Amino acid sequence: MENERIKHLGQLGEMLANNDVIAGLSARAESANPWFVPRFVGYSLNAIANEMLAPAKLEKWLSAYSLHPVDKTIGLIFAGNIPLVGFHDFLCCYMAGCRMQIKLSSKDDALFPALLNKLFEID
């Protein structure tokens, strides 16, 4: 199960590395929050794609932990001051196999659902 999640996240990272996808997500984010200028949204998306979702980096990160199936629901509250600031929290819960209840900030309620929909397309 862990390997499948890593594979799916790697595919999401490849999608995010596509400049057309980044441009579309950046435009959507900026229309929802004028502080989210495309350059900063691009920084966030590139960091997620290249640093958090690269399969080799995921495997190295997870090698330090012993993951067991968890039957818990975790509540996540995402701040809206930085584009996708709560993505790492989501990533941790996703890899642990937890159910999540996520409260999005009204100032960042476009980007994360768009990423989640892309992940749903894959997984």
Side-chain angles (χ1 to χ4, degrees):
M1 185 65 101
E2 182 181 315
N3 289 336
E4 254 185 65
R5 288 188 180 124
I6 290 172
K7 180 180 138 192
H8 295 150
L9 290 170
Q11 290 172 335
L12 177 62
E14 289 172 11
M15 285 176 116
L16 293 179
N18 179 328
N19 286 333
D20 293 336
V21 171
I22 288 177
L25 291 173
S26 295
R28 188 180 309 171
E30 188 176 24
S31 70
N33 184 343
W35 288 99
F36 287 6
V37 296
R39 185 173 84 190
F40 296 131
V41 173
Y43 288 158
S44 291
L45 291 169
N46 281 322
I48 289 169
N50 297 318
E51 300 301 325
M52 293 185 196
L53 300 181
K57 291 181 180 183
L58 280 169
E59 289 170 3
K60 182 178 179 185
W61 171 54
L62 293 169
S63 70
Y65 302 97
S66 174
L67 295 178
H68 303 285
V70 178
D71 187 28
K72 294 197 181 279
T73 299
I74 306 297
L76 300 174
I77 301 172
F78 287 10
N81 57 333
I82 299 171
L84 293 166
V85 71
F87 186 81
H88 187 263
D89 298 334
F90 163 79
L91 181 62
C92 293
C93 291
Y94 179 75
M95 289 309 302
C98 300
R99 290 182 306 275
M100 293 169 258
Q101 288 285 336
I102 300 172
K103 169 69 173 96
L104 298 174
S105 167
S106 62
K107 297 182 181 192
D108 186 11
D109 61 356
L111 280 173
F112 184 74
L115 259 61
L116 204 53
N117 285 334
K118 296 225 176 274
L119 185 58
F120 286 158
E121 290 173 17
I122 297 166
D123 183 6

